[in-house]
Amino acid sequence: MGFFCRALRNGIVLAVALLLAGVPAVAAEFCMDLKSGAGPYGGVVVTRTGSTCNPVDVWLGNAGVSQSCTFNFSAPVSGVYVDAAGLTCKDSSCEKLVTSVNGSHYAFPVADVMLPSPLFGGSAALRDGNGDFLAASQSGDSARGYISTPVVSSLTLSHQGAAVISDVGALYRVCFSPPPPQLTLSKTAIPAGFTVAVPAIYRLTLSSRNGMETTARTTITDNIPATLNIGTVPAGCTKSGQVVTCTAPVGLRAPMSFDIPVTPQALAFPSVMNTATATGGGDAACNAAGACRASVTTPVTPLPLITTTKTASANPLVAGTPDQFYTVAITVSNTATTAPITLADTLPAGITLAGPPTLIAGTSTGVVLSACAAAGSSTTGCSIGTGVTPGFFSVRIPVNVAALAVGVTGGTNTVNLSGGGDPACTPAVGQACDATTGPIRVVLGSPQVRIVKQVIDGAGSNVFNFALSGLSKTGDSIVVAGVTTATGSPGIVGQAGVGASITETSPAGWPANPVSASCVDPASATPAVAFGTLTGNVLTIPASRMVAGADIRCTFVNSAGFAVTGRVFDDNGWGSGVPNDGRVNGGEKGLGGVAVRLTNCAAVVLSSATTDGLGNYSLPVPLSTAMGAALCVEESTPAGHLSTGASVGATQLPSGASIGSGGKTYTYTRAAAGTADRIAFTWNGTSSSGLNFGDVPFNTFGADSVKSGMSGANVNHPHIFTAQTGGSLSFDIASQVATPPMVGWSSRVLADPGCTGVPQAGAAVLYPPAVAMTTTAGQNVCVVLQTFVPGNATDGDRNNATVQANFVFTNASPGLNASYTVHDTTTVSSMALELKKEVRNVTKGGTFGLNNEARSGETLEYRITYTNNGATPISGLTVNDATPVYTRFAGSQEDTTPATLTACAKNTPANVAPAPPVACAATQAVGGAGALDWKFTGQLAPGGTGAVLFKVTVN
C-alpha cells in the first residue's frame, strides 16, 4: 500500500508514490524505492550499492549527472518489474534508464513494457532500440517494464541524464516476489528416553529452511499413540482423542515450536514410535511428506516391579525354641529400583524380634539393608537402598516365639513393602509387593493337652470336673449347658515321653462313667487316628503320644439320659488274649466303622451309631422308653468276618443263654453270616455299658491245584492254610473221583513246615488219619497233598481230590467250627513235566515261598521251577507266564539250567512278540506288562530240573 503526492520539478508536475518499506503491494509481492530500507521482504534482505543508494533522496540522477544503484537480493527473486517516472528532455537532451539483471544489460521486450507507468501515469516515455526507457518530452514521462528472467539475484538501475539539465532526476520503484518458503518439520522426544508414568514432551518444530516467510497458514497434525496419555496442549493446538492439531500463522519465518505433554503407560514398553505431519504454509512440497513429515522412536523404560513372598522357618512354630525366623523373598523386575524399599512388618502377638533382620544375597546387586531394629515387635524403619538391580534376594527376620502366640494361626503374618519406584507398591495393604505367610500354627514346645466335653443328651447347666495326672495343672472343669460341646482350659502341657491321665467326675445324677473318651492329635502325621485307653472314668494317654509340639485334644462324651455302650473288637486272642471267647482281653484291638443299632427287638430302630477307631460305640436310649420294654443291641458283622461271641463287661455271654449282670439279664444270639448279631435285655431305667461283640476275619485255605504226572509216580499239590484266630486245625480228604473209574489212585496230606511245596524227608502225615494241631492268629500252616498215579493209568486219565481243612474255634460258646476245601486235579501224562511257582519280596529281603505280600512300589521276584519226572527226555521245552495285574515288568533271567538244555531265548514285555527273542541272560529295560516266554534248545533229561526268574514292581 502507498500514498501519492504531486511535486513540481523543473516545472513538471510528477505523481510520486511513497511506499511503506516491507509492505507488499499485492500478495507475495514487495515494492521499494531508492529510499526504502533493506527489509527483509518476505524473508529477502535487499542491500544496495551505488553513489546515491542511500536513504537521502528518492531521486536518481540529481544535478544532471549519471548515477546508478544496484539492488542485491539475499535470495533469488522473481516477478520483478521496474516503474520509472520523471524522465525529461531538454534542448534535445533526454534522461534515460538503463537496466542490468544479474550483471548483464537487460533489454525490455516490447511486450513487457507499459507506456506510461500505470502507477505514475502522465506522459509516456519511449523504449529505445536498446530496450531501455528514454524520455520523450519535457513533461516528465513514465514507463513500467517487466523482467522475464525467472531468477534475479541483482538488479542495477543506471540513470543517464543530459548534462545541460540541472536539478533533473527520475523517480524509481522496484517490485519483486520472494521465493516460496521451504518448510521443514522436526519432532523431538524430551527426554530422549521415556519412563513409564513419568511426564515427558513431544516437541514439534516448524522451520523455513530458506528463511522465507510462510504465505498461508500451516497445519501440523500429530496422531499420538494410544499408549501415551496426552496432557494439556499448548496455545495454538487442539486435541481430539489421540489426535493433536497445531496451527502456525501466515508470515512465519523464524522456527516455531509446540510442546505436547505426554505420559507413557505401562504398555508403551519397550518403545513408542510417533509421526507428525505438516501441510500448507505456501510451500507446495509441504504436503505431509518429505521434510514435512517427522518421526521419532523413543525407548520406554518400565518402572520397577516388586513382588514378595513370605514364609516361616517351620510350621508349626514352637514356643520357646531358638533359631526361628521369617523369610521375606523379594523379586525386582523390569529395571533397577529408583527409590528405597521400606519393610513394615508388625509381628503377631507373642512374637518379637530376636535380633536385626539380615540380608540373604541372591541375584540382585546393589542391595543395602539399613535402619533395622534389633528388638521389639515391628520392623518399621527397616529399608533397602535405591538401585537394586533386577533379580531376587531375601531378608531374614529372626524371632522369639512366646507361649502367648500359641494358636492355629498364631504365626500367620503379613509384611508390607512400599517404595522402590514401583507405583503399585504403596503403604496400602494387599498389593503385589506385600506378602502373607500361609496359615502358621504356634504350639508349645511341650506336648499340649486340652479337654473337650461333649454332651449328647441332657438339659440345664452342668459342671464336669477333671483330675489331671502328669500334666502342668492338677485339675480342670468345664461347664456345659444342654446338648453341646465345650472346651476346657488352654495352656495345659505335659512332659515329652511321659504318659498322662485324665479322670472325669460327672455331675450328680449322671452316669459315673462317660459314654466314650479318646484323644486325637491334629499336629501329628495321623491327625484323625484316635488313641488313649478308657477304663471306667479314667482316660490314659500313652507316653508315646506325648511328644514335643503335640496338640492333643481329648474328648469325653457323656449322656445325662441313658445309653447303651460297648465295643466291637477282633476276638483273635492277640497279645496273650483268649481267642473266640467274646471278651476283650490281651491285646485284642477294636474294629472301627462297624454299624450298630438299638432296636425294640423287632423292626423299630431306636438309635444307631458307627464304632470309632477303637471300636467303641454309644447308643442313647430314648427317654420315652417304657419300663420293661424289650431292647436289643444289634451288630452288623463286618464283611469278611465271622462272629465268635459276646460279653457284658468281663462276663462271657454264650449264644442262646441268659446271663445276669448288673441287675439285668442279657441274652446273646450269634447269627449266621449276613445277619446281625444281637444282645437282648429288658429296660429297667438304668444304662448298660460294656456290651461287647467279638468278630474275627475269615480263615483262608490256598487255591485249587492242577498238575500232571506219569503212571506209577507221585504228584504233589502244595497248599497254605492261614489262621486268623486261635483254634484247632485238622485235614482230611473228603472225596476222590477217578476218571475213568480206576482202582489204585491214592492220596495223603503231608506236613510242609518249611513251606517248600514238596514233601520233605520224614514229613508228618496229617491224613490219614486226621491229626489235630493248634493254631494262633496269623499263623500259616503249609501242607502237600501227595497223589499216587496207578501204574496202569494212561495219558489223559485224571483224579479229582477234595482236600478239606477243618477248623474248631477254641473257647467259643457254644462251639463254633468251619470247613474250607480245595480241589486238586491230577492228570496222567507221559511227559511228566512238573512246574512249581514261588515268590519273594525283594524289597524286604524275603525268601521264596508259595505266597507273599507287597505294597505299592515294592518289588516281587517269581521263580518257576521245571522238573522232568518222566523216564524219557523232554525236547522243545517252553515255559510261559505273564506279569500279574497291577504290576509292571522289572526284569527276567535264567536261574539254574541243566547242561542238557544248551541255549535259552526269551520274549518279555521289553520285546513283545513278534519281536525277535533275546538271550535269557540279556538285561532289558523295565516297564510294561504282559506275556513272558522262555524257550530252551536241547533236551531236559529224566530227573532234570531248572528254574527261570522274573521280577515285577507293584503299581
Side-chain angles (χ1 to χ4, degrees), residues 339-746:
I341 301 173
T342 299
L343 289 82
D345 192 346
T346 300
L347 300 173
I351 298 180
T352 57
L353 291 171
T358 57
L359 180 68
I360 301 175
T363 59
S364 293
T365 60
V367 186
V368 178
L369 184 65
S370 63
C372 295
S377 59
S378 173
T379 65
T380 300
C382 192
S383 67
I384 299 160
T386 303
V388 178
T389 63
F392 65 89
F393 61 95
S394 298
V395 175
R396 176 174 289 181
I397 304 174
V399 294
N400 295 315
V401 182
L404 180 62
V406 170
V408 177
T409 57
T412 305
N413 186 224
T414 298
V415 63
N416 183 287
L417 268 65
S418 59
D422 182 349
C425 191
T426 73
V429 297
Q431 298 168 326
C433 59
D434 301 335
T436 300
T437 64
I440 304 297
R441 298 177 61 250
V442 178
V443 299
L444 291 171
S446 299
Q448 177 175 272
V449 177
R450 199 160 186 182
I451 303 171
V452 179
K453 162 53 52 196
Q454 181 181 2
V455 172
I456 61 175
D457 181 41
S461 179
N462 296 278
V463 179
F464 291 83
N465 295 305
F466 301 89
L468 309 179
S469 175
L471 298 173
S472 60
K473 294 178 64 176
T474 59
D476 193 11
S477 63
I478 302 176
V479 179
V480 181
V483 177
T484 186
T485 299
T487 305
S489 302
I492 300 175
V493 298
Q495 183 177 348
V498 178
S501 65
I502 305 172
T503 302
E504 181 189 62
T505 300
S506 301
W510 288 62
N513 299 330
V515 173
S516 65
S518 61
C519 304
V520 295
D521 183 2
S524 70
T526 55
V529 174
F531 57 90
T533 302
L534 178 65
T535 304
N537 63 338
V538 180
L539 176 63
T540 302
I541 305 173
S544 61
R545 300 308 298 248
M546 298 290 286
V547 297
D551 185 16
I552 299 173
R553 305 298 176 96
C554 297
T555 301
F556 284 76
V557 180
N558 289 69
S559 173
F562 303 98
V564 178
T565 63
R567 192 180 188 199
V568 179
F569 67 101
D570 190 343
D571 193 14
N572 60 4
W574 190 260
S576 301
V578 178
N580 315 310
D581 66 344
R583 296 178 296 177
V584 182
N585 44 43
E588 293 174 333
K589 298 180 180 180
L591 296 176
V594 180
V596 292
R597 61 186 183 179
L598 181 67
T599 72
N600 66 344
C601 299
V604 177
V605 177
L606 303 176
S607 60
S608 61
T610 301
T611 60
D612 62 16
L614 299 178
N616 297 315
Y617 71 87
S618 176
L619 296 168
V621 180
L623 296 176
S624 60
T625 304
M627 298 293 290
L631 296 180
C632 286
V633 179
E634 299 181 354
E635 178 238 4
S636 298
T637 304
H641 285 68
L642 180 71
S643 297
T644 53
S647 60
V648 53
T651 303
Q652 186 179 28
L653 296 178
S655 180
S658 297
I659 304 296
S661 176
K664 293 187 181 72
T665 299
Y666 298 94
T667 303
Y668 166 65
T669 301
R670 183 173 61 204
T675 304
D677 295 346
R678 64 166 51 173
I679 299 175
F681 60 96
T682 300
W683 179 242
N684 66 353
T686 61
S687 296
S688 295
S689 61
L691 273 62
N692 306 316
F693 294 88
D695 299 318
V696 293
F698 293 155
N699 299 320
T700 60
F701 186 29
D704 295 346
S705 175
V706 177
K707 286 195 172 186
S708 60
M710 297 183 65
S711 57
N714 288 320
V715 177
N716 301 311
H717 299 271
H719 297 288
I720 299 176
F721 180 92
T722 301
Q724 299 294 346
T725 186
S728 176
L729 174 66
S730 63
F731 297 91
D732 68 25
I733 300 173
S735 66
Q736 289 193 82
V737 179
T739 306
M742 179 181 297
V743 177
W745 289 93
S746 64

